[in-house]
Amino acid sequence: MTEGNFTDYVKIKVASGKGGQGSSHLRREKYVAKGGPDGGDGGRGGHIIIKGNENLWTLFHYKFKKHFQAGHGEHGGKQTSTGADGQDVYVEVPLGTLVKNPETGETLFEITKDGEEKIVVKGGKGGLGNWHFKSSTNQTPRYAQPGLPGEEAELLLELKLLADVGLVGFPNAGKSTLLSVITSAKPKIADYEFTTLKPNLGIVKYRDYRTFVMADIPGIIEGASEGKGLGHYFLRHIERNSTLLFLIPTDSKDIYKEYEILLNELKKYNPELLDKERLVAVSKSDMLDDELKAEMKQELDASFKNINYLFISSVAQQGIQQLKDKLWEMLNAEEE
């Protein structure tokens, strides 16, 4: 899916370099008669290496550049000198990128750490020079090995965003507004559904210079796990979140029912998502007076028995600090 500069799914073709040919050189010096073989080995071909880069958050840079060719190894030289290795090519990807076989869908590996490197196709081995083949019965071999060819492969790169908190909600629930208030992110905000067409990441600044990362995905609708709307396509981006923040506006017909619909869609997509910590934020609470809020609180207390919830208003900046405090508490509960 691509929207703006966000790309989370690309196919690339990679080819490693071929190995250099070994040399069949014979030693030639003025005062050395019959110097014998001294041909060096060929250099290995360059590798194609996938490397994690924490400064990237999208695969957009591979939207148009999809072919990667590593350098070839150089031929061996005289005086048993080995040829130079072919230049390795690094394909830098954001953290949370899966590398898959596009034909079988098999996951080959995943990049989760900055600077982590995985060789996807190895360069061809360089050929042996003729000095390897000398013996008492074959003192002047005039042959050497050719280098081995490189490898080619087609790879599928699939990005799953790494964030601490994932925002879950129906379209127009106020997720982008919350993200813009609680972080420095600048997501698109408008008064119509499906304003968000791409995931957005933001860093939440907490007390004492501590931070955590929040991700906003396009709104989920009923049937999203079956392919309706846009949310189903991006549900994989909340698989890595340790905490899910459900955002439901106060003007919903039935807040708890909306929560159950969202929960059911997550369950259909991946039942393991229900094992994550959950917090419900009732947004747009500035629309309620104290009497209405107290009445609604009684209903929610009966419905959300084992689930934490709180009232917030992104526009009026109500309950934002309490939300940060609760999220921080949930994110660090296991460490304490």
Side-chain angles (χ1 to χ4, degrees):
M1 178 69 180
T2 303
E3 209 280 328
N5 289 341
F6 183 80
T7 304
D8 61 353
Y9 190 91
V10 294
K11 284 183 181 179
I12 62 172
K13 291 184 177 180
V14 295
S16 59
K18 63 182 180 182
Q21 182 176 328
S23 172
S24 58
H25 187 268
L26 296 176
R27 187 177 176 190
R28 294 284 187 271
E29 292 184 38
K30 186 173 181 180
Y31 298 107
V32 180
K34 300 180 181 179
D38 69 345
D41 303 340
R44 71 156 174 84
H47 303 319
I48 300 290
I49 302 171
I50 303 291
K51 183 177 181 180
N53 186 337
E54 64 181 1
N55 295 317
L56 299 176
W57 75 286
T58 173
L59 297 170
F60 178 76
H61 46 301
Y62 300 131
K63 182 181 177 183
F64 304 105
K65 179 176 173 55
K66 297 187 176 182
H67 296 265
F68 299 88
Q69 171 69 61
H72 301 308
E74 294 187 7
H75 299 333
K78 59 184 179 180
Q79 296 180 342
T80 65
S81 60
T82 303
D85 292 340
Q87 185 174 7
D88 296 332
V89 170
Y90 289 87
V91 180
E92 296 194 345
V93 297
L95 307 188
T97 299
L98 297 175
V99 179
K100 295 184 174 182
N101 182 322
E103 295 182 0
T104 63
E106 175 192 2
T107 299
L108 305 177
F109 58 86
E110 178 185 2
I111 298 294
T112 58
K113 297 178 181 178
D114 184 48
E116 181 180 359
E117 297 180 4
K118 297 282 187 182
I119 299 175
V120 284
V121 283
K122 292 184 176 181
K125 186 178 179 181
L128 299 178
N130 65 345
W131 73 276
H132 284 280
F133 305 108
K134 65 183 180 181
S135 66
S136 59
T137 57
N138 186 14
Q139 296 183 0
T140 56
R142 298 175 185 273
Y143 52 85
Q145 285 183 337
L148 295 179
E151 303 174 6
E152 293 184 359
E154 190 173 46
L155 302 172
L156 176 63
L157 304 181
E158 180 180 320
L159 174 62
K160 291 185 179 181
L161 295 178
L162 296 177
D164 300 304
V165 179
L167 282 170
V168 182
F170 281 91
N172 214 22
K175 300 188 302 300
S176 296
T177 304
L178 174 62
L179 190 72
S180 69
V181 168
I182 207 171
T183 74
S184 298
K186 304 296 180 186
K188 183 179 179 182
I189 300 172
D191 60 353
Y192 55 85
E193 295 185 349
F194 291 115
T195 309
T196 301
L197 298 177
K198 64 175 183 176
N200 290 295
L201 281 180
I203 298 176
V204 180
K205 294 180 180 179
Y206 190 59
R207 306 175 194 270
D208 301 324
Y209 303 101
R210 292 173 290 184
T211 61
F212 58 90
V213 180
M214 181 177 286
D216 167 31
I217 67 169
I220 299 171
I221 62 174
E222 191 169 6
S225 58
E226 300 165 4
K228 294 182 180 179
L230 293 171
H232 74 286
Y233 191 88
F234 296 107
L235 281 172
R236 67 173 178 270
H237 291 303
I238 59 174
E239 288 184 296
R240 306 300 173 79
N241 307 150
S242 58
T243 299
L244 299 180
L245 176 59
F246 290 78
L247 208 63
I248 303 173
T250 55
D251 55 357
S252 300
K253 292 181 180 178
D254 190 326
I255 292 177
Y256 187 71
K257 185 177 180 181
E258 284 201 9
Y259 168 74
E260 285 190 316
I261 292 172
L262 291 169
L263 206 61
N264 188 49
E265 291 304 322
L266 298 185
K267 182 180 179 181
K268 287 180 181 178
Y269 176 75
N270 184 353
E272 293 181 3
L273 290 174
L274 301 191
D275 297 332
K276 299 181 181 295
E277 291 286 331
R278 283 172 257 159
L279 175 65
V280 177
V282 183
S283 64
K284 306 180 183 179
S285 62
D286 56 313
M287 299 167 60
L288 304 173
D289 57 26
D290 293 340
E291 185 178 346
L292 276 174
K293 188 178 289 187
E295 184 180 332
M296 185 176 288
K297 191 174 185 306
Q298 287 184 345
E299 296 178 4
L300 296 180
D301 284 341
S303 301
F304 294 102
K305 294 179 180 178
N306 300 317
I307 303 297
N308 291 313
Y309 75 91
L310 43 80
F311 290 93
I312 68 165
S313 171
S314 303
V315 175
Q317 298 279 309
Q318 296 174 2
I320 299 301
Q321 188 57 51
Q322 290 87 334
L323 176 63
K324 289 183 180 181
D325 290 340
K326 189 61 183 177
L327 289 172
W328 183 263
E329 177 188 332
M330 295 170 71
L331 290 171
N332 295 275
E334 295 180 359
E335 299 177 7
E336 296 175 355

